[in-house]
Amino acid sequence: MHVDKENIRNFSIIAHIDHGKSTLADRLIEKTGMMTQREMQEQVLDKMDLERERGITIKLKAVRLNYKANNGKEYIFNLIDTPGHVDFNYEVSRSLAACEGAILVVDATQGVEAQTLANVYLAIDQDLEIFPVINKVDLPSARPEEVAQEIEDIIGIDASFAPRISAKEGLNIDQVLEGIVERIPAPTGDENKPLKALIFDSYYDPYKGVTCYIRVFDGKIYPGMKIKMMSTGKEFEVTEVGISTSKQIPMDFLSAGEVGYVAASIKNVKEARVGDTITDALNPTEKPLPGYKKVTPMVYCGVYPAEGEDFNSVRDALEKLQVNDASLVFEPETSQALGFGFRCGFLGLLHMEIIQERLEREFDLNIITTAPSVIYKVHKTDGEIIDIQNPSNLPKPSEIDYIEEPIVSASIMTPSEYVGAIMELCQNKRGVFLNMEYLDEKRVTLKYELPLNEVIYDFFDALKSKTRGYASFDYELKGYNRSELVKLDILINGELVDAFSIIVHEEKAYERGRSIAEKLVDIIPRHQFAIPIQAAIGSKIIARETIRALRKDVLAKCYGGDITRKKKLLEKQKEGKKRMRQIGSVEVPQVAFLSVLKYDEKK
Amino acid sequence: MEKLGIYIHIPFCIKKCDYCDFVSVKPNEEMIERYINSLINEMKIYSKLIGGYLVDSIFIGGGTPSSIDIKYIYRLFEILNNSFNIASDSEITIEVNPGTIDNKKIKAYKENGINRISLGVQSLNDKILYNIGRIHNKEDIINTIKLIKLNGFDNLNTDLMIGLPGQTLPDVINSLEQIIELKPTHISLYSLIIEEGTKLYELEKNGKLILPSEDEERLMYHDAKEFLEENGYLQYEISNFSQNGFECKHNLKYWTLKPYIGLGLNSHSNIWNYRYWNYSNFTDYNEALNRGSLPISNKEFISTKSRITEFMILGIRLNSGINREEFYKEFGTDIDYFYKDAIQKNKDLGLIYEDGRSIKLTKKGLDFSNIVELDFYI
């Protein structure tokens, strides 16, 4: 069953969102006859519902296809799927590292886009052969020749041979299959050397333990073998190796050049981190594969059980998610307003949203999340430097010498007509303009340095709204800058609500305080007494709004003998009250904690 | 013999009022004919089921019961009298709209044993009546009341509303002054509630409705209550006032969990540990009865817990309040077992107080009864 390395092709598909990556993957799977149409869900590689809904791939997977080429030889294709979002950049780079080539899908109507470029550069960094494919040529607005020229001009690779396809219609897919054989190099490596394999994905399987997707570079891996994770030195005994087609098929071994899975009674994905190198514990390789890094969270927020929800169920769910997601971190914390909960760290905002949604959907939990925060470096007057991500832990102003905040380098690719609006937005977000490059007469890349704490607030929503969704945004952490930051507190009826506290730039404090107070006035229902909502820095009140007292709360509806309706109304109200948090004598709806983060169109 | 109330719904109106979300349509004769036949079928089915009950209140409501021809009233009462044991001292009420009434109709009501008229007045200000889509004016109201009195009806309710578009506090007191001149025995005073699906709801949504502020509306309520009490109309429920001994027997059944059945479209019944209600569209209603079955659309079993909630949320609305002994008699458990905290909390909020062994709403509680009811909902 093992095939000569010469006949193996390991590749990824890279594309901008909606350019047809998943559809092309489906066609390749279908054409190589691995699955019947019926077996194949619409997009086989996207397993999780959530991912499918959002049209993005979060976790990477690999699938093995058999192809008989026009030259009469049998080939094995290992198609390695990559996540498509900046939050998961590292995982993308690791899965690309497992390949020799990448199919670049470009939409014949849209041309080269920001994200295409970001991933192409990642692929070029890994020395991959880029095989361009121009998709959606069946559309009336397709301009394949121009797009081919664009690929050559912008990316600098020859696109003259690029197949003109329609993945949706199944047009010219055979050219892609032949292209994979011809264009993408066969893997190299030596099966007689000590084992050297790259983990490019891992997930938890309740029966097998952690399953790692690996690419073997040198040597062999087989059941019974003692293996070692090179970053941690931990050793395990292999229980199963195999390949995944429509299902997992166990094999006797995997050898140099091959892609497959390994199970070794590993309890937690933390012990099988993406990017790590697996070697033979008894006969280890000298040097691990390059590029391993432990991913660190960039964005933090508090996750609390909502009223009636159990703290332990939230912890269990987070633990279960963590087993599958080594980049999720959490630790218990306490809030005066929200009780016992967790401070969680995420790769980015999307990662945060996905985890929140999974807690709610997959675990059916009712949770409250606080405003996202970043890690600040607080230089204290006594010389100590501490990392702070929960605003409540910020030391007293008298103990702070100065604070540094994380800065990202951001690149925003946009049609040129939105440049003005984006510059205004970045200016507003304390951005520092670096440069501007015209990709062609219509499209521009703007480079800015932006404080991450502005990016996590409502930058994405604002950018989307100001550019009607046409701009794309990419960022990476650049470093820390000293900044005039203050802690902004919100007081409801005179009581400080720690869950609303945020760290903001001094100049933004008034505006943010006012906007939060105004939103709370809309969201908190009126009580029998007037409720002042104040925004404060230390003891100084900088903004104040008032929720008027309710004068009347009567529900007639018991005339005509219909008592059931009255009971239903009361029941509904009772349910609504369950979603309230009691803060002093004020009932605050849980949505209040989220809505203060939302982008406000008026601004 | 256990007593029973009967409600009969007449879902027809010449024109729907702008605030109304009750089930009613503008009819043609054929529709009325068919509907009355269904009502008669419904009574016949019930006659076999509730032979053991003594009917001591009948309430013909709507819609506009006074809009239909008297021949139907004769037919309904013929069957009612043949089907049920009706107590000789029964309270038998019909709702009347001043725009659909004449002497002949009132005479017919009297002849059929109806002894209480409930008149939809709402206001005595012509402009306000127009604002809420009533089909009559002040003069029609006064003439109707005179006719009712002339025909020997001594038990008359007038429905009035506060919080209406364009209404002011003097308007309310003025309407009340004129009404008490005409000496009704009972006055209902309802606060306008803008219900979804009504014309007023649409107007309000589009910002085209000028309503009194909450503060003004509460002033109207409390001043009206005070005015009525000074003039011998005692409050016995949040929205109901009467001269001594003229409380509405039928409505009290709703609030004291006594059994009643509702006949007709969308009518509600409370009997045999169930609350159930009829279909709200004519086709389903008529078809069920043509098949010889009750036109029940849905039902709710009333568990003891649910009954306790009802006892509390309805009881608190009555001026007599919730009596601790009665609670114990009804449920065999001390009220504090369920409600100690809720009672204390609402006392602390100044919404309820204890008068001897009864728990009652304070003046403030009348404005925030929903808060109390919510705490009593278990």
Side-chain angles (χ1 to χ4, degrees):
Chain A
M1 199 136 169
H2 277 271
V3 187
D4 193 335
K5 274 205 301 293
E6 267 310 301
N7 295 351
I8 296 177
R9 297 292 182 272
N10 299 319
F11 61 94
S12 287
I13 304 177
I14 55 185
H16 188 73
I17 291 173
D18 290 339
H19 280 199
K21 183 172 90 172
S22 301
T23 321
L24 177 59
D26 289 353
R27 287 299 156 265
L28 296 180
I29 290 165
E30 195 183 275
K31 283 270 181 181
T32 52
M34 193 182 80
M35 279 180 233
T36 65
Q37 191 99 28
R38 198 173 55 79
E39 275 178 322
M40 202 170 80
Q41 287 209 328
E42 211 196 323
Q43 291 180 359
V44 280
L45 291 178
D46 288 18
K47 275 189 205 143
M48 284 191 276
D49 280 353
L50 190 61
E51 295 177 35
R52 191 173 311 164
E53 244 166 63
R54 289 167 167 254
I56 49 161
T57 314
I58 303 159
K59 297 294 282 182
L60 8 133
K61 291 108 204 164
V63 68
R64 180 160 170 164
L65 313 171
N66 297 307
Y67 176 63
K68 189 169 180 183
N70 292 345
N71 62 17
K73 289 187 196 154
E74 296 269 358
Y75 287 87
I76 284 176
F77 290 174
N78 289 308
L79 166 56
I80 295 169
D81 199 21
T82 59
H85 191 271
V86 48
D87 281 6
F88 306 100
N89 237 349
Y90 177 66
E91 295 191 3
V92 178
S93 82
R94 290 308 86 199
S95 62
L96 291 176
C99 304
E100 277 75 37
I103 300 178
L104 168 65
V105 183
V106 183
D107 186 320
T109 67
Q110 308 276 322
V112 176
E113 307 242 6
Q115 209 186 0
T116 323
L117 271 186
N119 285 336
V120 167
Y121 290 135
L122 272 177
I124 290 171
D125 274 353
Q126 302 291 336
D127 280 334
L128 301 197
E129 186 65 38
I130 310 287
F131 169 31
V133 161
I134 298 169
N135 191 22
K136 302 196 189 178
V137 295
D138 57 316
L139 293 182
S141 54
R143 38 184 187 94
E145 298 320 312
E146 272 176 63
V147 168
Q149 191 59 46
E150 236 176 64
I151 295 172
E152 294 190 5
D153 294 347
I154 298 170
I155 305 174
I157 54 173
D158 181 8
S160 57
F161 61 86
R164 272 62 167 168
I165 69 162
S166 165
K168 193 164 150 260
E169 300 300 324
L171 179 72
N172 292 336
I173 301 302
D174 43 343
Q175 289 181 23
V176 180
L177 291 163
E178 282 299 311
I180 293 168
V181 172
E182 288 162 23
R183 301 270 156 202
I184 293 174
T188 53
D190 187 345
E191 47 265 44
N192 299 316
K193 280 191 178 168
L195 174 67
K196 191 186 258 188
L198 170 73
I199 303 177
F200 61 85
D201 188 23
S202 62
Y203 70 93
Y204 182 77
D205 178 309
Y207 301 104
K208 294 178 188 168
V210 173
T211 301
C212 307
Y213 278 103
I214 58 160
R215 157 70 196 274
V216 183
F217 282 87
D218 283 324
K220 274 186 191 175
I221 187 166
Y222 47 85
M225 181 179 189
K226 271 221 171 278
I227 54 167
K228 185 163 88 174
M229 302 297 170
M230 294 190 75
S231 73
T232 59
K234 287 211 171 149
E235 294 184 7
F236 301 94
E237 187 178 312
V238 175
T239 54
E240 186 179 319
V241 300
I243 56 165
S244 54
T245 60
S246 60
K247 54 182 181 296
Q248 292 188 334
I249 301 171
M251 306 279 278
D252 295 339
F253 61 88
L254 293 172
S255 67
E258 286 193 282
V259 169
Y261 70 88
V262 176
S265 306
I266 304 168
K267 296 281 181 298
N268 192 306
V269 283
K270 272 190 219 164
E271 293 167 334
R273 284 189 181 268
V274 170
D276 203 351
T277 303
I278 299 178
T279 192
D280 186 342
L282 305 175
N283 179 22
T285 181
E286 285 167 20
K287 246 173 52 186
L289 291 155
Y292 173 75
K293 69 177 186 202
K294 198 176 150 190
V295 285
T296 47
M298 297 245 281
V299 176
Y300 286 82
C301 81
V303 173
Y304 288 84
E307 200 71 42
E309 193 63 77
D310 185 21
F311 172 82
N312 289 318
S313 339
V314 177
R315 185 180 52 207
D316 289 350
L318 283 170
E319 275 170 2
K320 279 190 184 126
L321 287 176
Q322 199 181 38
V323 160
N324 247 333
D325 185 347
S327 47
L328 169 68
V329 300
F330 65 91
E331 59 182 33
E333 73 168 6
T334 324
S335 151
Q336 278 161 17
L338 301 174
F340 292 100
F342 300 92
R343 177 112 321 221
C344 301
F346 309 95
L347 293 175
L349 278 184
L350 179 77
H351 188 213
M352 178 176 93
E353 258 178 67
I354 287 167
I355 297 291
Q356 287 170 3
E357 281 194 50
R358 290 186 69 184
L359 287 171
E360 281 171 354
R361 288 202 208 178
E362 289 172 33
F363 296 92
D364 200 22
L365 292 174
N366 198 357
I367 55 164
I368 302 178
T369 49
T370 64
S373 170
V374 298
I375 298 178
Y376 298 95
K377 293 200 180 296
V378 179
H379 294 251
K380 290 172 65 178
T381 44
D382 62 6
E384 193 191 353
I385 303 170
I386 51 172
D387 283 356
I388 293 289
Q389 24 89 352
N390 184 345
S392 302
N393 297 339
L394 198 69
K396 288 196 200 90
S398 59
E399 293 170 17
I400 299 173
D401 184 6
Y402 63 94
I403 307 177
E404 288 183 309
E405 64 175 334
I407 304 291
V408 298
S409 2
S411 83
I412 301 160
M413 204 170 288
T414 175
S416 45
E417 67 253 47
Y418 301 117
V419 165
I422 293 173
M423 285 183 146
E424 196 192 320
L425 173 67
C426 290
Q427 199 84 24
N428 236 322
K429 297 288 181 188
R430 300 189 282 128
V432 176
F433 174 78
L434 295 180
N435 65 46
M436 179 163 94
E437 265 170 52
Y438 272 87
L439 292 170
D440 55 36
E441 64 269 32
K442 287 191 215 97
R443 274 157 329 114
V444 177
T445 307
L446 288 161
K447 301 254 192 224
Y448 266 90
E449 274 182 17
L450 285 162
L452 183 58
N453 101 343
E454 297 287 348
V455 174
I456 63 168
Y457 172 44
D458 61 3
F459 188 84
F460 291 105
D461 289 342
L463 183 69
K464 216 158 107 186
S465 150
K466 287 188 191 299
T467 66
R468 293 169 44 222
Y470 277 108
S472 64
F473 177 71
D474 196 356
Y475 66 91
E476 62 181 31
L477 189 63
K478 183 183 159 279
Y480 274 77
N481 275 2
R482 182 172 171 159
S483 180
E484 295 308 316
L485 297 164
V486 291
K487 178 165 162 253
L488 176 70
D489 292 320
I490 298 294
L491 289 82
I492 296 179
N493 207 23
E495 256 185 77
L496 193 153
V497 185
D498 57 1
F500 285 125
S501 295
I502 48 173
I503 293 172
V504 286
H505 193 263
E506 211 174 20
E507 280 170 18
K508 289 300 179 76
Y510 172 75
E511 185 197 313
R512 284 289 294 279
R514 160 126 271 134
S515 131
I516 292 173
E518 278 169 3
K519 280 179 187 168
L520 290 178
V521 166
D522 285 344
I523 289 166
I524 297 173
R526 289 160 64 200
H527 285 54
Q528 282 165 265
F529 45 88
I531 305 168
I533 308 282
Q534 295 156 303
I537 297 171
S539 57
K540 197 173 125 211
I541 304 295
I542 58 166
R544 183 193 158 106
E545 296 280 324
T546 306
I547 300 173
R548 282 186 306 127
L550 183 67
R551 304 322 289 259
K552 171 189 172 194
D553 186 4
V554 290
L555 218 158
K557 282 301 149 210
C558 40
Y559 305 104
D562 181 358
I563 309 301
T564 305
R565 178 169 170 193
K566 184 183 173 74
K567 284 193 291 183
K568 275 189 188 149
L569 283 170
L570 284 171
E571 194 179 334
K572 223 170 116 187
Q573 292 186 10
K574 197 106 187 165
E575 278 302 308
K577 266 180 116 66
K578 274 192 196 155
R579 288 189 291 272
M580 299 276 201
R581 278 281 163 172
Q582 190 80 32
I583 291 172
S585 47
V586 180
E587 282 172 337
V588 179
Q590 291 177 8
V591 288
F593 296 94
L594 265 189
S595 61
V596 297
L597 320 174
K598 294 270 150 64
Y599 175 63
D600 192 351
E601 198 65 57
K602 284 180 295 194
K603 278 187 295 183
Chain B
M1 227 180 186
E2 200 174 349
K3 290 176 177 155
L4 180 77
I6 296 179
Y7 174 81
I8 299 169
H9 192 64
I10 305 296
F12 303 119
C13 288
I14 292 173
K15 174 189 171 296
K16 201 168 183 123
C17 303
D18 297 351
Y19 53 85
C20 176
D21 73 333
F22 280 77
V23 176
S24 79
V25 295
K26 188 176 174 179
N28 55 45
E29 274 313 304
E30 192 203 334
M31 256 176 106
I32 301 177
E33 184 75 38
R34 200 180 316 136
Y35 183 76
I36 296 294
N37 285 337
S38 291
L39 269 180
I40 286 167
N41 286 337
E42 199 177 2
M43 286 180 199
K44 285 179 177 167
I45 298 173
Y46 270 118
S47 74
K48 292 176 203 124
L49 297 171
I50 56 169
Y53 285 88
L54 178 67
V55 175
D56 66 343
S57 78
I58 297 172
F59 195 106
I60 306 171
T64 314
S66 60
S67 67
I68 59 170
D69 194 281
I70 48 170
K71 70 180 179 196
Y72 300 116
I73 300 294
Y74 279 100
R75 278 177 64 196
L76 287 176
F77 273 92
E78 188 195 332
I79 312 293
L80 271 170
N81 287 316
N82 289 338
S83 308
F84 306 106
N85 300 317
I86 301 176
S88 56
D89 62 346
S90 293
E91 175 195 273
I92 304 175
T93 308
I94 189 166
E95 285 183 334
V96 167
N97 181 309
T100 62
I101 194 74
D102 54 38
N103 198 36
K104 228 173 91 194
K105 281 181 178 172
I106 297 174
K107 272 197 159 51
Y109 298 157
K110 188 86 189 165
E111 250 180 71
N112 279 289
I114 293 173
N115 53 30
R116 186 173 181 268
I117 303 263
S118 177
L119 191 67
V121 170
Q122 319 314 354
S123 167
L124 284 165
N125 177 323
D126 281 344
K127 182 142 187 299
I128 291 170
L129 288 171
Y130 175 81
N131 283 349
I132 57 174
R134 296 291 291 184
I135 56 166
H136 57 81
N137 58 25
K138 173 183 158 182
E139 203 186 333
D140 296 329
I141 294 166
I142 290 168
N143 290 337
T144 303
I145 295 178
K146 282 179 183 160
L147 274 183
I148 290 167
K149 297 267 167 176
L150 275 173
N151 280 285
F153 281 94
D154 54 10
N155 196 356
L156 167 69
N157 166 57
T158 52
D159 279 347
L160 288 158
M161 292 178 89
I162 57 170
L164 297 173
Q167 199 178 35
T168 62
L169 181 60
D171 281 333
V172 172
I173 300 301
N174 191 268
S175 285
L176 286 175
E177 278 169 351
Q178 296 182 63
I179 276 295
I180 63 165
E181 284 291 299
L182 301 161
K183 298 191 171 47
T185 47
H186 188 287
I187 292 173
S188 296
L189 187 72
Y190 296 118
S191 290
L192 173 70
I193 291 180
I194 308 277
E195 298 284 358
E196 216 175 316
T198 62
K199 198 171 165 193
L200 291 189
Y201 180 85
E202 289 309 311
L203 286 173
E204 193 191 31
K205 213 172 65 182
N206 299 322
K208 287 185 183 148
L209 199 60
I210 300 158
L211 291 170
S213 71
E214 269 176 18
D215 283 339
E216 285 173 299
E217 196 268 352
R218 283 295 93 185
L219 267 180
M220 288 175 186
Y221 177 76
H222 288 287
D223 282 8
K225 173 174 137 68
E226 202 174 303
F227 177 86
L228 287 170
E229 283 170 345
E230 279 165 9
N231 287 280
Y233 292 89
L234 304 178
Q235 187 180 36
Y236 68 100
E237 194 262 0
I238 287 184
S239 305
N240 286 278
F241 301 79
S242 78
Q243 294 178 344
N244 207 357
F246 285 95
E247 295 86 0
C248 177
K249 252 163 118 177
H250 186 84
N251 280 341
L252 276 170
K253 284 181 190 289
Y254 296 156
W255 306 323
T256 53
L257 314 186
K258 298 289 185 294
Y260 54 88
I261 56 170
L263 311 180
L265 213 58
N266 197 42
S267 294
H268 286 247
S269 304
N270 171 40
I271 190 169
W272 307 307
N273 279 329
Y274 276 96
R275 290 190 181 277
Y276 58 84
W277 48 98
N278 284 351
Y279 290 117
S280 55
N281 77 68
F282 284 92
T283 316
D284 291 343
Y285 175 76
N286 289 330
E287 276 177 7
L289 286 160
N290 285 343
R291 289 194 307 270
S293 51
L294 285 176
I296 296 172
S297 146
N298 222 329
K299 62 182 190 293
E300 182 200 359
F301 175 74
I302 308 299
S303 61
T304 304
K305 195 175 138 192
S306 190
R307 198 52 99 189
I308 290 173
T309 293
E310 292 180 354
F311 185 89
M312 297 296 289
I313 63 176
L314 297 171
I316 199 65
R317 301 173 63 89
L318 296 171
N319 282 52
S320 53
I322 300 160
N323 184 273
R324 286 177 173 274
E325 267 64 51
E326 265 175 48
F327 186 97
Y328 189 83
K329 224 167 71 192
E330 202 61 45
F331 303 108
T333 314
D334 197 280
I335 194 168
D336 281 339
Y337 178 78
F338 295 101
Y339 291 112
K340 193 167 197 285
D341 293 348
I343 291 170
Q344 192 56 51
K345 179 192 150 192
N346 284 286
K347 270 190 197 169
D348 292 346
L349 289 172
L351 301 179
I352 57 173
Y353 68 107
E354 296 219 29
D355 181 9
R357 296 291 287 162
S358 293
I359 298 151
K360 300 177 178 180
L361 289 175
T362 61
K363 184 181 174 201
K364 190 176 167 197
L366 288 169
D367 296 341
F368 296 101
S369 56
N370 188 50
I371 292 175
V372 182
E373 288 166 12
L374 211 50
D375 283 330
F376 286 170
Y377 186 99
I378 54 168

